[in-house]
Every structure is written in C-alpha cells, then in structure tokens.
C-alpha cells in the first residue's frame, strides 16, 4: 500500500472511531449502570427512530428524479408498474432556504411521508413485538436518553460529512436516500426479533438442563442484558461499518451491498 493510500485509510478509520464509541454506550450502560434488556432495546429504538427522521428530512434535498425500472427494492407507495406522474418528468422546482442549506424539492414530500409511516411501524416492531405488555416509557431514563443522544449525534455528524459535505444530494433521488434508514431498520428489526426468540429458547433449555435455581440466577442477573447488548452492538457496528465501507468502495460486496442504495442508472 502506497503512502497516499495508507494516509487515506487511516483518515477513514479515524472518522469511524466516533461511531464505534457511540455504539459502545448501551453495553457500558449494562456493565456500569445495571441496565436491563428493555433499556438496551430502548436505546436502539431511539437511534433507529432518529435515523428515520433525520434521513427523511435529508431526502427532501435529493435532486435526482426517481427511476423505477431495473429496481429490486421498492419503497412504500411505489412498485414496478407505478406511474410517477408528470412532476417527475419535468425539471424539479427548487425551494431555496436561508443559510448554507441546499434547495429542497417539494415533489419529494409524498414519498417521505409514506416512508415515515412505514418506517415508524417497523421501528416499533422490536419493542411491541417482543415486549407487548411492558411499559416501554419506564425504560427511557435520563441515562438511556443520554446514550441515545450520543448515538444520534454520531449519525448527524456522518450525514453532514457524507451527504451534505460531499454534495451527494445532487447524485441521489428521494428513493435512494430513504432506502438507507429503511434498510437499516429492516435489518436491525429482524436481528432483534431473532435475538429475542433465540434468547427465550436458550432460557428454556437452561431451565430444563440445569434446574430452576440456575434458571432464576440467570434470569435475575445481568447475563441476559450483557449478551443482548453485546449482540445488538455487534449487529449495529456491522451495519455502520457496511454503510461506511459502501460509501468508499464502488463495489463493496458482502453485507455492504445490502446497505447500498440501488441506482438503476448503473444497471
């Protein structure tokens, strides 16, 4: 590796460090603040909700028209045979904002609204699908809010650097931008649901193999919360690294492909 490439790689890794540190916060909450599983879940729920809201706002600035031909993934409200209407065939009408922000485009608003509704439903699945009879609001303590705030700040810094700083809103459609949070929400929702099911099965196995006393010890201790936080943290870091790598490589491969918005013009 030449010196220039090594320097660029080191700079990229330094940019990723805050993301790693912010995602360590829920695990730290379990180890040092005696967080339970529900508090870990609440932290990631807030992170996914913030990601959905932030990227929905960013999608209003996307300049390119939507291209549906050749897509493998469609957002809510559109499909292979959808007619987008004349507003997508004409030159976009920008709405200029005061300050350093680029112009936004009103034609993106309907797509953003539909995706917000759909995304809000899927964000809620890990909470209400796993803990339907629990008062979720009781898990949102000041410490949980502080951890979620730290994670959200890292998301905003990344969006400012990668999306606005590199002017990627000029290269992306509203569909492409909204794919980013919805793909993450679908992935993490699936991971958390599978984690919950596997966890329940493992607990049942512990009770059958080792007896009620060991089962109660595991259930009342921090083992479950630590395992839950560790798996959720590793899954979220895999998401963040995949997105980070996909933004720097034209053909990242592997899991990173899933988090790369489809660009039908390249197919």
């Amino acid at each position: 590796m030449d010196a220039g490439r090594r320097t660029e790689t080191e700079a990229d890794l330094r940019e990723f460090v805050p993301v790693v540190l912010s995602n360590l916060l829920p695990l730290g909450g379990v180890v040092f603040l005696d967080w339970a599983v529900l508090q870990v879940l609440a932290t990631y729920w807030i992170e996914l909700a913030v990601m959905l809201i932030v990227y929905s706002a960013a999608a209003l600035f996307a300049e390119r028209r939507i291209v549906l031909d050749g897509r493998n993934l469609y957002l809510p409200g559109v499909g292979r045979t959808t007619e987008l209407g004349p507003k997508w065939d004409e030159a976009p009408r920008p709405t200029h904002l005061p300050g350093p922000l680029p112009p936004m485009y009103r034609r993106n608003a309907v797509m953003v609204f539909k995706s917000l509704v759909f995304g809000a439903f899927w964000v809620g699945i890990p909470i209400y699908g796993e803990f339907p009879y629990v008062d979720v609001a009781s898990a949102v303590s000041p410490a949980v809010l502080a951890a979620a705030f730290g994670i959200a700040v890292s998301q905003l810094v990344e969006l400012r650097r990668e999306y606005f700083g590199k002017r990627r809103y000029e290269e992306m459609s509203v569909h492409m931008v909204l794919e980013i949070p919805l793909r993450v929400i679908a992935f993490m929702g699936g991971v958390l649901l599978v984690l919950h099911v596997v966890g329940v099965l493992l607990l049942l196995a512990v009770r059958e193999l080792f007896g009620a006393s060991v089962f109660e010890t595991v259930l009342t201790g921090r083992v479950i919360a630590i395992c839950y936080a560790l798996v959720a943290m590793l899954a979220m870091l895999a998401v963040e690294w995949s997105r980070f790598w996909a933004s720097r490589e034209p053909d990242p491969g592997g899991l990173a492909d899933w988090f790369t918005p489809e660009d039908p013009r390249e197919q």
Side-chain angles (χ1 to χ4, degrees):
M1 182 183 297
D2 57 42
R5 180 61 176 169
R6 187 184 305 112
T7 301
E8 182 180 349
T9 301
E10 291 174 354
D12 286 345
L13 292 175
R14 284 195 298 270
E15 290 178 356
F16 191 68
V17 168
V19 177
V20 175
L21 294 177
S22 67
N23 278 280
L24 286 173
L25 292 175
L27 183 60
V30 174
V31 174
F32 298 108
L33 300 177
D34 294 330
W35 282 7
V37 170
L38 191 59
Q39 290 168 307
V40 175
L41 185 61
T43 304
Y44 285 108
W45 181 86
I46 295 171
E47 177 182 7
L48 294 176
V50 168
M51 178 181 289
L52 176 64
I53 293 170
V54 166
Y55 275 90
S56 295
L60 294 171
F61 298 92
E63 184 175 329
R64 271 182 45 196
R65 64 185 295 271
I66 295 176
V67 178
L68 297 179
D69 293 338
R71 281 195 167 278
N72 297 312
L73 182 145
Y74 298 91
L75 293 186
V78 296
R80 196 177 303 275
T81 59
T82 299
E83 295 291 336
L84 293 173
K87 66 181 179 180
W88 294 101
D89 296 325
E90 303 169 353
R93 298 179 181 179
T95 299
H96 295 279
L97 302 175
L101 288 173
M104 66 168 42
Y105 301 90
R106 285 175 290 179
R107 69 181 184 181
N108 296 343
V110 173
M111 180 73 72
V112 168
F113 175 76
K114 291 179 180 178
S115 295
L116 269 172
V117 174
F118 178 81
F121 171 77
W122 277 101
V123 166
I125 283 180
I127 291 285
Y128 297 107
E130 298 177 36
F131 300 96
Y133 307 111
V134 176
D135 180 11
V136 177
S138 65
V140 185
S141 64
V144 168
L145 290 176
F149 177 77
I151 297 174
V153 168
S154 72
Q155 294 283 348
L156 289 171
V157 169
E158 180 192 6
L159 186 72
R160 181 179 181 276
R161 182 183 65 243
E162 300 292 331
Y163 184 71
F164 289 103
K166 297 182 179 179
R167 302 174 68 92
R168 287 187 171 157
Y169 51 85
E170 297 177 350
E171 308 166 6
M172 303 178 74
S173 68
V174 59
H175 196 292
M176 293 173 65
V177 178
L178 290 171
E179 282 181 56
I180 297 171
L182 293 182
R183 285 173 182 267
V184 174
I185 288 168
F187 177 81
M188 286 302 297
V191 167
L192 294 175
L193 283 173
V194 170
L195 178 59
H196 179 64
V197 172
V198 171
V200 170
L201 293 177
L202 286 176
L203 282 174
L204 293 176
V206 167
R207 186 173 62 182
E208 291 298 321
L209 292 173
F210 302 103
S213 61
V214 175
F215 172 77
E216 290 296 332
T217 301
V218 172
L219 194 64
T220 57
R222 288 191 295 169
V223 175
I224 296 176
I226 290 174
C227 292
Y228 196 100
L230 186 61
V231 173
M233 180 196 70
L234 291 175
M236 200 64 201
L237 284 177
V239 169
E240 297 293 356
W241 176 253
S242 297
R243 293 176 55 220
F244 184 80
W245 185 249
S247 68
R248 284 156 175 78
E249 292 292 330
D251 186 18
L255 185 62
D257 277 341
W258 166 250
F259 298 107
T260 304
E262 283 187 310
D263 189 348
R265 299 187 309 174
E266 297 181 354
Q267 299 179 4

